[in-house]
């Protein structure tokens, strides 16, 4: 069977898709039984030079050239913009074309609506490349853990921030220096907000939560904290206690009967002995905890031209299989259930807490009193002199809830001569 | 739809399968649209007590009770014996029943034949649980890397030997002590040959090679070395150079144009910075290198009741989907190609070599002369006094082929006062 592909976007990922299709044509045809060919590409800027593949298809800037083209059965959207992608994908699905996209923002924001449109039109909508680049986590969740009850999905799902944290830890760079290095290497954009403030990870975590738990969270359901306030001293202190600091997206069932769901993006302390702690630089990893399977981790490149393109290709070959078997139109993830969002009192974890306090007699007594009042007790404690005559108190705590931490935050905010410099959950 | 399951074997994995089916019945029905129920189990020993699940199905010791039962559409074979399993699976497939098995020896030895019988009868034959326990590596290879050209698949795929090596490295146990601990913990059998001599890993590597490269190797195509000759001194020396010692199964394309395939089970030195080095104790991991995707690793429990049962369940839910869509009968892996086996001269790697030599003047001169004659040069060298007036020379080499190593082996075997104590490839 001949299958025509229309490509929206010929940037990094788009070029990679064309390259793989051209270089591995024989193997793909042999394995899927179908010949997948790019018939047309639509781009923003027609004058941009394009390399690395044979251009044997027309390139224009008019969406209708793909959407009205009867030779095209699958639309690949790798433009990376939100509004236009939304319109284009909607039009493509309604024109009964299968869609493969790498657009995490779009799927996280409008996934439910687009999935319904695809189903109504009997076409496939796949987006493996939207989460964790080359790591095939979505299809694995949808096809290999279907019978298991997943208790947690947690991941290093933003390569930029992981690169920055790795450089801070290994090469003792400051946050600003590590960010600059990431920008020089092309891992971070000139405006890094989306990556370092945790929004990129949040979009991916929304999609992971949908696949792992069948829920449909919106951005407002998440607690999101980025890495911009982390200092190299925080990281060094965490290291000294045996922990790496990683920006994790964590969605997990909590509560006495695991009845609620907590969805959070934040820096976490990860024990050096845990597999997630060894995921360095721009790499990604997703950890899945299932009641039956236990702990499974998928590790790999979180971004990059060819790994991301490979995930697009895995979607394309799955559409090809569906076409050959005449079975398209099933949702990528068919799991649906409702779970309540966790209350702060249900979000319990050990903590890493840094308090700066004026170095005066009785100061430490007053600080420890505040924690005692909030019923938060310590497992490890370290005091060092800090700048300007203050003392730096680093504490690891026994499990404490977000509700208890809110008490401490308020108490400290209302007190003089004490500042809560850092507070992170310990992952276990 | 109601789907009846017949279970051959109610040991560890079989009980786990029943437990998950019973405990997660609602979720499975919701996600697959089918109600999967065990209708009958056939066991060897009817008198064995069985716990952990509600026995709401008959248990007999007569295979025909399942094979001739029209209420049963899927046969699950988790008996763990080879000959009987072969007959039963063949009869089941010919009776047009779908088969799910965890039997790696069987699939590695008779997979090609059984796959053909399944296809001829239009039924599914799945065996995710046969490789790496709870890690969903086979379905991932079959559905997510279809468009990529895989250059290497490498894994820690025998939990018993990995447990032994981990205990030797971390707790400084001797091989015998570590083996005893593994036996006490139930990770090793009283006769550990299959695990420690590398045969279990070899069977799994045969299946992985089939999925990654589309080839059909037989046991005789593999180079197999186990861990029984490894000493704690070897491991300590490897550690001192920055390497962990792991029993790896490695199948990779080699040769100038990557035209040949090398398939080997052997202890390897793995750099501490590589993700495989952090896989400890009974855990497994499989690393996949693809031309496009780069390096991806799947990590998880390599054995155990519930993880392995979860892989059986993932096969069952995939059969259920095929039944609902009316698409059964496609082979689990549809990739087929021929590749020549690598020649010794094509199997090139850096090496860790230990030579014991009589501590006499000129001895080291003579040893280094042997390596020079074989054109093997060193990157690192360490000499320490060994027992009985001998010197222990530990060397890391530049890349050298198996052919060159064969020269050295022969030279040393024919020389007096020198012994090749250990020789392992360095994984990179």
């Amino acid at each position: 069977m001949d299958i025509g592909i229309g490509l929206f976007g010929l940037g990094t990922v788009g070029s990679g898709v064309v390259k793989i299709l051209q270089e591995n044509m024989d193997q793909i045809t042999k394995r899927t039984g179908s010949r997948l060919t790019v018939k047309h590409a639509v781009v923003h800027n027609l004058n941009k030079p394009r390399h690395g593949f044979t251009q044997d298809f027309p390139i224009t800037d008019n969406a209708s050239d793909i959407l009205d083209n009867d030779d095209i059965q699958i639309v690949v959207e790798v433009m990376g913009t939100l509004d236009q992608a939304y319109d284009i994908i909607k039009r493509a699905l309604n024109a009964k074309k299968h869609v493969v996209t790498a657009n995490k923002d779009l799927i996280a924001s409008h996934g439910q609506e687009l999935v319904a449109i695809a189903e109504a039109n009997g076409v496939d909508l796949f987006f493996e490349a939207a989460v964790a680049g080359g790591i095939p986590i979505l299809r694995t969740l949808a096809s290999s853990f279907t019978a298991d009850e997943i208790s947690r999905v947690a991941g290093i799902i933003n390569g930029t921030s992981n690169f920055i944290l790795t450089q801070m830890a290994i090469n003792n760079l400051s946050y600003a220096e590590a960010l600059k290095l990431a920008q020089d290497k092309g891992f971070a954009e000139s405006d890094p907000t989306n990556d370092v403030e945790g929004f990129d990870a949040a979009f991916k975590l929304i999609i992971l939560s949908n696949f792992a738990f069948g829920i449909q969270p919106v951005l407002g359901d998440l607690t999101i904290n980025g890495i911009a306030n982390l200092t190299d001293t925080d990281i060094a202190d965490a290291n000294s206690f045996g922990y790496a600091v990683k920006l994790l997206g964590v969605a997990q069932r909590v509560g006495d009967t695991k009845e609620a769901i907590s969805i959070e993006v934040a820096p976490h302390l990860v024990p050096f002995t845990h597999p997630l702690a060894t995921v360095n630089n721009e790499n990604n990893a997703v950890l899945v905890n299932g009641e039956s399977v236990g702990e499974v981790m998928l590790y790999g490149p979180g971004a990059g031209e060819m790994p991301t393109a490979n995930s697009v290709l895995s979607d394309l070959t799955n559409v090809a299989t569906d076409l050959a078997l005449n079975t398209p139109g099933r949702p990528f993830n068919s799991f649906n259930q409702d779970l309540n969002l966790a209350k702060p009192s249900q979000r319990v974890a050990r903590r890493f807490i840094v308090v700066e306090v004026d170095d005066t007699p009785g100061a430490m007594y007053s600080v420890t009193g505040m924690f005692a009042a909030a019923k938060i007790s310590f497992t490890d404690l370290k005091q060092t002199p800090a700048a300007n005559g203050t003392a730096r108190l680093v504490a690891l705590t026994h499990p404490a809830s977000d509700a208890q931490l809110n008490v401490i935050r308020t108490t400290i905010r209302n007190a003089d001569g004490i500042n809560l410099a850092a507070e992170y959950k310990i992952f276990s």
Side-chain angles (χ1 to χ4, degrees), chain A residues 204-224:
Chain A
K204 294 167 178 166
L205 187 59
I206 285 175
I207 302 173
L208 284 174
S209 301
N210 177 245
F211 275 64
F213 301 104
I215 55 174
Q216 303 275 2
V218 295
L219 205 56
D221 294 337
L222 276 68
T223 307
I224 304 172

Side-chain angles (χ1 to χ4, degrees), chain A residues 8-76:
Chain A
F8 282 94
L10 257 179
T12 325
V13 181
S15 310
V17 170
V18 178
K19 271 190 229 174
I20 301 179
L21 279 171
Q22 290 180 346
E23 284 169 18
N24 298 352
M25 172 66 84
D26 288 349
Q27 177 184 327
I28 296 169
T29 307
K30 203 168 157 190
R31 294 189 69 166
T32 63
S34 297
R35 206 177 156 77
L36 294 151
T37 327
V38 176
K39 300 278 187 193
H40 200 106
V42 166
V43 300
H44 287 300
N45 181 354
L46 285 172
N47 298 319
K48 217 185 253 179
R50 305 175 198 283
H51 309 287
F53 58 87
T54 314
Q55 193 206 310
D56 53 4
F57 48 85
I59 303 179
T60 63
D61 55 5
N62 180 358
S64 302
D65 292 342
I66 287 178
L67 297 173
D68 297 342
N69 187 336
D70 288 339
D71 290 341
I72 289 173
Q73 287 82 46
I74 312 178
V75 165
V76 174

Side-chain angles (χ1 to χ4, degrees), chain A residues 69-236:
Chain A
N69 187 336
D70 288 339
D71 290 341
I72 289 173
Q73 287 82 46
I74 312 178
V75 165
V76 174
E77 184 280 306
V78 284
M79 300 185 303
T81 52
L82 189 62
D83 287 354
Q84 276 194 299
Y86 173 73
D87 284 333
I88 283 167
I89 290 178
K90 227 162 126 172
R91 283 175 62 194
L93 295 171
N94 281 320
K96 301 205 185 304
K97 297 189 191 299
H98 311 278
V99 172
V100 172
T101 174
N103 200 319
K104 57 193 157 295
D105 308 29
L106 178 69
I107 296 297
S109 324
H110 299 284
Q112 200 171 5
E113 179 195 0
L114 295 174
V115 166
I117 297 176
E119 213 176 349
N121 284 285
V123 291
D124 285 339
L125 170 62
F126 294 151
F127 40 87
E128 180 68 82
V131 178
I135 304 175
I137 182 65
L138 296 185
R139 193 155 273 114
T140 301
L141 284 169
S143 68
S144 290
F145 297 127
T146 327
D148 202 358
E149 179 155 314
I150 293 177
S151 53
R152 179 176 70 185
V153 58
I156 294 171
I157 45 181
N158 179 267
T160 306
S161 52
N162 199 49
F163 178 85
I164 292 173
L165 292 179
T166 305
Q167 293 299 321
M168 287 173 75
I170 293 180
N171 294 328
N172 296 313
L173 302 188
S174 70
Y175 172 77
E177 290 165 339
L179 172 59
K180 172 134 196 338
L181 182 65
Q183 285 168 327
D184 291 347
K185 284 187 171 262
F187 293 145
E189 295 172 57
S190 51
D191 176 2
T193 311
N194 209 30
D195 290 317
V196 300
E197 297 292 352
F199 294 111
D200 176 82
F203 287 132
K204 294 167 178 166
L205 187 59
I206 285 175
I207 302 173
L208 284 174
S209 301
N210 177 245
F211 275 64
F213 301 104
I215 55 174
Q216 303 275 2
V218 295
L219 205 56
D221 294 337
L222 276 68
T223 307
I224 304 172
N225 286 297
I227 61 166
N229 296 322
L230 262 170
T231 67
D232 40 354
T233 317
D234 295 340
I235 294 179

Side-chain angles (χ1 to χ4, degrees), chain A residues 382-421:
Chain A
K382 187 170 89 169
Q383 185 187 333
T384 47
N388 309 321
T390 63
R392 177 179 168 91
L393 185 73
V394 182
L396 306 188
T397 78
H398 282 291
S401 72
D402 282 7
Q404 287 170 281
L405 263 292
N406 288 340
V407 171
I408 278 290
R409 283 177 189 286
T410 311
T411 312
I412 290 180
R413 200 180 304 123
N414 294 331
D416 287 331
I418 171 169
N419 172 38
L420 185 63

Side-chain angles (χ1 to χ4, degrees), chain A residues 315-379:
Chain A
D315 285 348
L316 286 172
T317 56
N318 276 278
V319 176
T321 304
D322 276 349
L323 285 170
L325 299 172
N326 202 16
T327 56
R330 288 167 300 139
F332 195 5
N333 167 41
S334 61
F335 188 20
N336 277 295
Q337 68 178 352
D338 287 322
L339 289 175
N340 290 324
L341 282 182
K343 304 186 199 99
S345 62
Q346 292 176 308
R347 296 155 61 119
V348 176
R350 293 188 60 213
R351 311 280 167 152
F352 167 86
I353 293 175
V354 181
V355 171
E356 285 161 357
V357 58
D358 289 349
D359 196 0
T360 53
M364 217 40 93
Y365 176 67
S366 138
V367 171
T368 51
M370 293 173 185
F371 280 89
K375 294 196 166 52
I376 298 173
S377 59
F378 304 131
T379 61

